[in-house]
Amino acid sequence: MFFKKKKITPKEFSQKFFKTLKSKVDRLEIIVITDWEITTKCGEREHTHFMNNAYSEYQREPNELKDILNRYVNATASLYEEEKAITLENIIPIVKDIRYIAELERLNSDYKSKHVFEQYNENLYIFYAEDNELNIKYLTQEAFNNLEIQFDKLKELAIENLKRILTIERHGENGYFMLTAGGNYESSLILLDIWTEENFDVKGNIIIGIPSRDLLLITGSDDIENLKKIIETVAEINAEGDHLVSEKIFEYIDDRFEVSELGR
């Protein structure tokens, strides 16, 4: 008789995460540990680590616990390494929704000094970050002030960097498409100048769903069947997925995406 291995709880997962992180970072101390958050300190550096995405992956693949922990810990450990100068060619745009802003504000009322961002539409924001070999590090106001670039040029620079590092592929047919670009920046593809009738043969205006950072779905505003499919997929992933971006669907109007009335 075979028995299923019992899944560990969020708190147990957080504890395992900290133990693994401590093995890689000398003099690491724990300040607070909860089901979903760990605050640690090493010397003068203090960081809060969020477990929700990693734990969601573990829930889907419980047999991959060790690999999941190592992957997230390796990215996290680099935060404690000696600060290196940010280079302009590594700055990229990351799309988040208004829920992310609310969570930042809940955790730290001074969140605006820790991030460089701008509003894209009523639901979405563009955050700027540095993409290096190990992790994605959000740009702070202090780091931005040390760069030789004006804020009104930052978006253009970040988009050009994104174009350079990504290989974009289109999948699908019959008015229902999906874009892939490596798994981290699919949602940021809304910022590129690719949204044309030639690229996406759909009925009506282009409609997209970006429920998570690695998924961008496309159909047309007059395609009832495929529109329903996108709305259902967006809702399902927001309920059960990780690395969430938005629970809305968006319509391409006047060269930009706006929240669609079709999905309200």
Side-chain angles (χ1 to χ4, degrees), residues 130-145:
E130 180 189 22
D131 182 337
N132 57 44
E133 295 179 357
L134 295 175
N135 65 7
I136 299 166
K137 187 176 182 180
Y138 286 93
L139 196 63
T140 65
Q141 286 292 339
E142 181 181 3
F144 170 72
N145 291 337

Side-chain angles (χ1 to χ4, degrees), residues 46-200:
E46 184 176 314
H47 294 283
T48 298
H49 313 291
F50 304 101
M51 298 292 101
N52 52 322
N53 287 324
Y55 189 75
S56 290
E57 288 192 31
Y58 161 71
Q59 284 185 302
R60 293 198 307 274
E61 300 288 345
N63 293 329
E64 302 299 321
L65 174 61
K66 185 177 180 180
D67 288 342
I68 292 169
L69 283 173
N70 284 333
R71 177 156 45 84
Y72 277 87
V73 164
N74 287 338
T76 301
S78 64
L79 296 173
Y80 294 94
E81 296 175 356
E82 184 178 351
E83 292 282 352
K84 296 179 181 179
I86 295 174
T87 55
L88 291 175
E89 59 265 27
N90 289 335
I91 295 176
I92 43 83
I94 299 177
V95 173
K96 299 285 189 179
D97 77 344
I98 197 168
R99 296 173 299 179
Y100 186 75
I101 293 283
E103 181 66 6
L104 288 179
E105 191 169 18
R106 181 186 72 82
L107 295 169
N108 184 353
S109 60
D110 190 34
Y111 73 95
K112 290 184 179 180
S113 71
K114 304 295 183 184
H115 298 84
V116 178
F117 64 96
E118 61 183 282
Q119 190 163 6
Y120 175 80
N121 62 26
E122 66 178 274
N123 182 256
L124 300 176
Y125 292 77
I126 306 169
F127 282 75
Y128 295 98
E130 180 189 22
D131 182 337
N132 57 44
E133 295 179 357
L134 295 175
N135 65 7
I136 299 166
K137 187 176 182 180
Y138 286 93
L139 196 63
T140 65
Q141 286 292 339
E142 181 181 3
F144 170 72
N145 291 337
N146 291 328
L147 296 173
E148 295 181 356
I149 187 171
Q150 297 296 315
F151 183 76
D152 60 359
K153 300 293 184 182
L154 189 61
K155 181 179 176 182
E156 179 182 351
L157 169 77
I159 290 174
E160 288 303 314
N161 289 339
L162 195 69
K163 290 179 182 178
R164 188 186 72 252
I165 66 173
L166 295 185
T167 299
I168 305 169
E169 296 183 355
R170 191 191 72 175
H171 309 270
E173 58 185 357
N174 299 325
Y176 189 83
F177 304 100
M178 176 177 70
L179 293 183
T180 59
N184 288 327
Y185 299 123
E186 275 76 354
S187 63
S188 297
L189 299 180
I190 68 170
L191 305 174
L192 304 188
D193 54 355
I194 60 175
W195 302 101
T196 64
E197 293 181 3
E198 291 75 21
N199 288 335
F200 304 102

Side-chain angles (χ1 to χ4, degrees), residues 3-18:
F3 296 92
K4 273 189 173 182
K5 188 175 180 180
K6 183 180 178 181
K7 289 183 181 179
I8 61 176
T9 65
K11 183 66 170 289
E12 290 169 335
F13 184 90
S14 293
Q15 291 168 337
K16 285 182 178 292
F17 180 93
F18 175 72

Side-chain angles (χ1 to χ4, degrees), residues 207-260:
I207 295 286
I208 65 166
I210 43 174
S212 59
R213 71 178 184 183
D214 62 348
L215 185 61
L216 197 162
L217 302 170
I218 304 134
T219 192
S221 57
D222 297 334
D223 191 332
I224 304 303
E225 182 178 346
N226 286 327
L227 187 61
K228 180 181 178 183
K229 189 188 301 184
I230 282 187
I231 292 172
E232 290 175 349
T233 301
V234 167
E236 180 182 341
I237 291 176
N238 271 272
E240 302 176 359
D242 55 78
H243 295 97
L244 300 179
V245 175
S246 180
E247 59 188 347
K248 307 293 185 181
I249 63 169
F250 302 91
E251 186 168 356
Y252 197 63
I253 301 173
D254 296 331
D255 297 328
R256 65 184 290 109
F257 285 100
E258 303 290 353
V259 176
S260 175

